Amino acid sequence: EERVYGWMDQACTTKPTISTMTTTRPQKPQQQKPQDNFQRFETWLRENGAVFDALELREYDTPAVVHDNNDMDDVAEEKKEPSTTAAEDEKQEESEMRGVHARGHIPADTVCMMIPRRCLITVEMGQATPLGQTILNSDLDLDAPKHIFLMIYVLWDRKVNGSNSFFHPYYEILPRTLKNMPIFWTPDELKLLEGSYLLEQIADRNNAIRQDYNAICQVAPELQDLCTLDEFKWARMCVCSRNFGLQIDGHRTSALVPHADMLNHYRPRETKWTFEEDRQAFTITSLQGISAGAQVYDSYGQKCNHRFLLNYGFAVEDNREMDGFSPNEVPLELGVSTLDPLYAKKVEFWMRGEADALQAAVGGFADAQTLSVVMEAATKHHHHHSNNNPDGPGAPVKRVRICASNNENTRLLFSLLRALACNEEELKAITSSINDGAMSRALFGLTDQRMSLQGTPTFYRSCRDIRHPISLRNERAAMMLLLEIIGRSLAKYPSTLSQDIVDLMDEVALPRFSNDRHAKIQVRGEKEVLHHFARWARTALEVMDVIESEMRGDNGKSSFDSVIGEMEVDEGNNGTHHTIVRYCDDILGSLRRQEWKNIRRRAGMKKSSATGSGSREHQI
């Protein structure tokens, strides 16, 4: 992960002023106490041209009592920052949590922090080390190359130069341990994630780091003299949670930026950052006025809580944007059941366009990306039961990450469900060529509206392309299948969503900022997404009941228009989610109109056939 929100996100017509706030800085006393690590760190930055006089570091209470601190009433989450050396820790138990606060009022469009280029650690610096050069020349296939070279510089510099390193004051304030990061959690803490796919991601992350370490040791055995595997893991997560994606000298790079990496996360953004070429410095600029004493935040971006937890070591209590959208996601796995009588035909359609991904998966890759952002691990052979394949291993599986939104991932999910729900006639209609399948498609109202670039009718190239319902029967089967998949996913968790909500009300049993609480926040968010789609499927089935009732001519029952009207009123009262309302009104409404057309067309064909038969009888 890297923080990617920079200067270019906000247009600025004038150069922001740099806030120094020199009047608030205290005078040095005659008899000064020895500086602690953070004071030495700030002194080092100032001596090298850094400006951050508008800001101050604050230490917070321990997680068990932090909710009583008035300064911590904001809904933003903090990163836990272990801040003492081993020697200091023996003397006193200090807080593990710090944040950056405004010394006084900071007006909007003010540069409140400026860190000179010489204080940055960049990818290129790691590449220039002897070890970095060996790695570059070896052409290793590493999991996160930019992170690796940042890590290499820190590990090499600390080992070779020790306390004489230019960056020694920075290294001294880095956390000694990263117990908040899930890859360092205890078995008891990991058990709190039971049922979550995050457990597999944590295992994958550990494996990837181990593989990188072993691969580098093969070409550069001296790495073992620099660090152990555990120290390598520590460096990886330090870099993962702290690096910034910057453009310096017209070149895209990543960098560790001392002090700037101590700003905690909050949405919506109230600061922006970039590397300014004319100043040759990294700057943080306020986007709005910040009150005296208030915490100054950075935004780590709009992310699902699993990414916050895996990469930064925290989960946001209420991870929602200003418009109510929550980016929290949950992966669903779908595959053709080995008991499906159309198994062979469906697998052929299921795998169209996925041959390369399957080859990669069989070749040993954990995940094969075939659709950027849209599909994670598009095809993967599982040797355990998947959500939609409880009948045994072997069938190719597609994994789709979904959130409570009608985005590309949701449309992909519905497309895959429609393919899995096909009966023989429907499968033939959507997979056969125009010559073989024109009559089949006509039966389902799939006329020649789908045209190729050459202007001739075409069929669905893959199961990802079925973006509109095939038939009322198929859409119903797809929604029922979705309910089954969600039911199996929810059954994996040892607790219910309602129990999670109750548990999170107890800040004594689950203290704020504790690993236990963050685990509970993560699984609660996953269940909220699953319940959202379960409600979507149930609502869709109810609306399709109404449509079928209209088709049969049942009188006295609610009409489609009245049901949609009630849903729209309910939506305005924070009831039915707007994505569900829009699907029912637009997608099912379109399907309803197509079904009526099919009924009228079949009636017309029947009438025409009867008329023709009567004419022949008259002639005889």
Side-chain angles (χ1 to χ4, degrees), residues 292-359:
Q295 188 168 177
V296 180
Y297 293 103
D298 178 24
S299 168
Y300 300 177
Q302 183 187 103
K303 292 180 173 70
C304 170
N305 259 335
H306 89 272
R307 293 176 65 188
F308 283 133
L309 190 52
L310 183 64
N311 297 307
Y312 301 102
F314 67 84
V316 179
E317 195 93 20
D318 185 19
N319 191 21
R320 298 182 187 278
E321 297 295 296
M322 293 293 288
D323 61 1
F325 167 71
S326 172
N328 287 341
E329 299 173 332
V330 66
L332 289 182
E333 290 183 347
L334 301 91
V336 183
S337 170
T338 54
L339 298 181
D340 193 319
L342 301 174
Y343 178 79
K345 293 180 179 179
K346 284 187 178 179
V347 167
E348 188 280 326
F349 183 50
W350 192 250
M351 295 307 299
R352 283 186 187 175
E354 311 292 359
D356 293 339
L358 180 58
Q359 183 178 1

Side-chain angles (χ1 to χ4, degrees), residues 523-540:
V523 296
R524 180 200 62 183
E526 294 175 359
K527 294 171 193 174
E528 286 174 340
V529 176
L530 291 170
H531 278 271
H532 168 80
F533 278 92
R535 182 174 184 180
W536 190 321
R538 286 193 297 268
T539 303

Side-chain angles (χ1 to χ4, degrees), residues 17-19 45 50-57 100 106 110-116 244 257-263 272-274 276 279 281-286 296:
T17 58
I18 299 179
S19 178
L45 284 174
V51 178
F52 49 91
D53 294 324
L55 308 174
E56 64 179 359
L57 286 172
V100 178
I106 299 176
T110 298
V111 175
C112 51
M113 181 183 294
M114 184 174 69
I115 308 298
F244 292 81
V257 186
H259 207 305
D261 57 9
M262 299 189 68
L263 269 67
K272 62 183 179 181
W273 50 258
T274 192
E276 293 190 59
R279 285 184 170 134
F282 176 97
T283 59
I284 294 181
T285 304
S286 59
V296 180

Side-chain angles (χ1 to χ4, degrees), residues 509-533:
L510 296 175
R512 290 183 67 185
F513 318 113
S514 65
N515 292 347
D516 289 4
R517 187 172 190 86
H518 287 153
K520 181 67 74 170
I521 292 170
Q522 171 62 29
V523 296
R524 180 200 62 183
E526 294 175 359
K527 294 171 193 174
E528 286 174 340
V529 176
L530 291 170
H531 278 271
H532 168 80
F533 278 92

Side-chain angles (χ1 to χ4, degrees), residues 1-9 122-124 127 146 243-255 273-275 277:
E1 290 288 322
E2 64 180 23
R3 310 183 199 186
V4 294
Y5 290 81
W7 182 272
M8 66 292 298
D9 293 334
T122 64
V123 169
E124 292 71 26
Q127 292 173 338
K146 287 185 177 180
N243 79 101
F244 292 81
L246 301 175
Q247 187 148 331
I248 301 177
D249 297 335
H251 174 67
R252 182 74 178 174
T253 189
S254 292
W273 50 258
T274 192
F275 183 84
E277 296 287 353

